[in-house]
Amino acid sequence: MAQAHSSSTSPIRIGIVGYGNLGRGVEAAIAKNPDLQVVGIYTRRDPAQLQPLHAGTPVHRMDALAQHQDRVDVLILCGGSKDDLPVQSPQLAAQFSLVDSFDTHARIPEHFAAVDAAAQGGQTTALISAGWDPGMFSLNRLMGEALLPDGVTYTFWGKGLSQGHSDAIRRVPGVAGGVQYTIPVDEAVEQVRSGTRPDLTTRQKHRRECHVVLAEGADADAVRRSIVEMPHYFDQYDTTVHFISAEELARDHTAMPHGGFVIRSGSTSDGVSQVVEYRLQLDSNPEFTASVLVAYARAVHRMRVARQYGCKTVFDVAPGLLSPRSAQELRADLL
Amino acid sequence: MAQAHSSSTSPIRIGIVGYGNLGRGVEAAIAKNPDLQVVGIYTRRDPAQLQPLHAGTPVHRMDALAQHQDRVDVLILCGGSKDDLPVQSPQLAAQFSLVDSFDTHARIPEHFAAVDAAAQGGQTTALISAGWDPGMFSLNRLMGEALLPDGVTYTFWGKGLSQGHSDAIRRVPGVAGGVQYTIPVDEAVEQVRSGTRPDLTTRQKHRRECHVVLAEGADADAVRRSIVEMPHYFDQYDTTVHFISAEELARDHTAMPHGGFVIRSGSTSDGVSQVVEYRLQLDSNPEFTASVLVAYARAVHRMRVARQYGCKTVFDVAPGLLSPRSAQELRADLL
């Protein structure tokens, strides 16, 4: 595998499939990686209507992809996990090496099987579920468990904007707009860090904060009740609802910060506690996710060149493959 | 590589070479990993004088190793980086797959070359420089740089007992005993976490705290001055020296806590800051280092079975190889 590290002279050619927040993040991330190059954005929209970040980036119709197999080394799929990726990833993996950010945890085995069949057939390398959770958090769950088998892993999310929960409050009658922040409970994080390995309920780990714009004439109390009692989404949490104006929503709540912690607390012998913590503080969730996808696209290209075909996850990628630097440089400078 | 994940029915047989704090830590760690088994401790001391943690663990003279090639899958080398590993790792890699914790950063390229030649010749797999720094911290430096190429990496060590600095103070005339703790400066850590990417001097990042037992008749002021002015070790730091009794030293300072932080602070577009932090809080430095060596011994065995011969580092190991669980289970449970 060490051989695959040597940097090639021509850049790795990336195609971006889908151009929402994540696709724009990928375009921005590639600009920070001189060994990678965007050769095209592929969209279901009218290409003429799409404004890429960099004016020179070619924009194509999605169906042009079938003819672009020779132009692209790796596709980065930027669609959603609900409707886009379950169809696109297996379909495109038959022809292209690719990276996706499929994040429906429960359906990962099924998605893996579909993508693996296509990638084995097409002799491509397709990495699924990259990003930060699944992705970097998954890696840290795995490493924590492997290094400290006698221990407990805790994942905390936030402070961050949750897309799913924001969508849920926007569906409540009387709500004109709103966002939801997931916030780890400080006391719980401190308890876990101290090495005590507490049992924590859902309510003890996270709280939820909603900023809601009322529709005209809506009953604030009724809206608040509908939110905090909503099954699954809110009823198991301490939830606070703040009513704000449409102006405040637009001014203060358009960023997409997120992050969180993976903490493994274990012991290596009687009374000897060891705590490993991985923490993300992200100003922009989609831009960080995009940066992860881009680094894994580099690894995927190298794995395909090394004929390591099939579906992969972050668990299968040697970390050195993520860096543009040679194995020798990495050992000398970073080890 | 996914194929190598499947767990075999018979345990991986580990030999422990050298039996100080690290060797004992390895014996303790293997007891927490049912898929691994200690088949022998190899020592330069008289085996009859050595007390393993588990009474049943066989103890052999070092020179018995030459005849034990068929009994051992992976050796874990627990000697020192100054005198033991530069000789032992290349020598033993000709016959055995192995893991070492070689931690003289500046000499890693040379050590790698010597071990690689031996391992390629012997068709073994030899992983060097495992542990937490080098090791887990190196991985996080690499990942931070790969994910956020526009950024700065900060490594802070401590609070922890530094063996090298403790040795240095014990060599000062008038010192009967003592220990040194390296402590990250809180303000510096907070500044880095905030995403500002400060330039920090050596003095701004860490301070040093010494607990010293004076020899009879020694001049406390002279001792303090010799310590705080010692070139390289202390002169670039704010150092405090506490004088304590031999009883206090024995009572309060025999544990070997350590830890620290690797923080990558970067930006993914103008004004968008992303901070990734990896933190260790270790009650026992040697026991955690041992746990890392043990997990990498599992990976090394699998890589040798997959004929991935030669010298490796943590950068070359797919994370899934560290876990006893199958790739399928890992995807379903941890991704």
Side-chain angles (χ1 to χ4, degrees), chain B residues 19 27 30 161 169 172 181 199 238 304 328 333 335:
Chain B
Y19 200 74
E27 197 187 357
I30 289 174
L161 187 95
I169 61 177
V172 169
Y181 297 98
D199 286 321
D238 289 332
R304 193 198 190 178
Q328 199 173 353
D333 292 354
L335 198 61

Side-chain angles (χ1 to χ4, degrees), chain B residues 194-215:
Chain B
S194 75
T196 55
R197 301 200 219 170
D199 286 321
L200 296 168
T201 63
T202 299
R203 190 177 302 275
Q204 286 171 321
K205 287 182 69 184
H206 296 94
R207 58 193 182 81
R208 299 194 177 277
E209 207 175 87
C210 306
H211 298 264
V212 172
V213 180
L214 283 176

Side-chain angles (χ1 to χ4, degrees), chain B residues 135-307:
Chain B
M136 292 302 106
F137 273 21
S138 320
L139 268 189
N140 281 279
R141 285 188 287 259
L142 184 155
M143 302 285 287
E145 191 182 281
L147 301 188
L148 297 171
D150 175 4
V152 180
T153 302
Y154 299 85
T155 303
F156 293 94
W157 294 274
K159 179 182 176 173
L161 187 95
S162 160
Q163 212 53 69
H165 285 78
S166 296
D167 289 346
I169 61 177
R170 288 191 286 256
R171 284 192 299 264
V172 169
V175 171
V179 291
Q180 193 267 186
Y181 297 98
T182 305
I183 303 170
V185 174
D186 287 341
E187 294 74 24
V189 176
E190 285 312 318
Q191 242 185 306
V192 168
R193 275 192 187 135
S194 75
T196 55
R197 301 200 219 170
D199 286 321
L200 296 168
T201 63
T202 299
R203 190 177 302 275
Q204 286 171 321
K205 287 182 69 184
H206 296 94
R207 58 193 182 81
R208 299 194 177 277
E209 207 175 87
C210 306
H211 298 264
V212 172
V213 180
L214 283 176
E216 209 167 309
D219 174 350
D221 266 358
V223 165
R224 186 195 310 269
R225 228 173 312 117
S226 300
I227 293 174
V228 304
E229 294 172 1
M230 194 186 299
H232 309 304
Y233 282 90
F234 292 100
D235 62 342
Q236 299 167 55
Y237 299 87
D238 289 332
T239 302
T240 38
V241 180
H242 304 282
F243 293 106
I244 60 173
S245 67
E247 293 68 37
E248 287 170 311
L249 182 68
R251 188 189 66 207
D252 303 333
H253 301 282
T254 51
M256 283 175 285
H258 219 309
F261 310 80
V262 173
I263 306 179
R264 179 73 175 182
S265 172
S267 72
T268 48
S269 63
D270 286 356
V272 175
S273 158
Q274 318 271 20
V275 180
V276 182
E277 174 175 336
Y278 182 78
R279 178 184 189 183
L280 295 175
Q281 292 179 77
L282 309 175
D283 272 4
S284 164
N285 178 356
E287 285 189 16
F288 185 74
T289 301
S291 298
V292 177
L293 295 179
V294 164
Y296 278 94
R298 177 184 290 121
V300 157
H301 177 66
R302 290 163 165 182
M303 292 172 86
R304 193 198 190 178
V305 169
R307 300 175 186 273

Side-chain angles (χ1 to χ4, degrees), chain A residues 32 138 150 268 279 287 335, chain B residues 32 138 150 268 287 335:
Chain A
K32 305 246 184 214
S138 320
D150 175 3
T268 47
R279 178 184 189 181
E287 287 189 15
L335 198 60
Chain B
K32 306 246 184 214
S138 320
D150 175 4
T268 48
E287 285 189 16
L335 198 61

Side-chain angles (χ1 to χ4, degrees), chain A residues 119-183:
Chain A
Q120 298 286 2
Q123 300 204 318
T124 65
T125 306
L127 187 134
I128 62 163
S129 302
W132 62 273
D133 196 355
M136 293 301 106
F137 273 20
S138 320
L139 268 189
N140 281 278
R141 286 188 285 261
L142 184 155
M143 301 287 286
E145 192 183 278
L147 302 187
L148 297 172
D150 175 3
V152 180
T153 301
Y154 299 85
T155 302
F156 293 94
W157 294 274
K159 182 183 176 174
L161 186 97
S162 160
Q163 211 54 67
H165 285 77
S166 297
D167 289 346
I169 62 177
R170 287 190 288 254
R171 285 192 298 262
V172 170
V175 170
V179 293
Q180 192 266 188
Y181 297 98
T182 305
I183 304 171

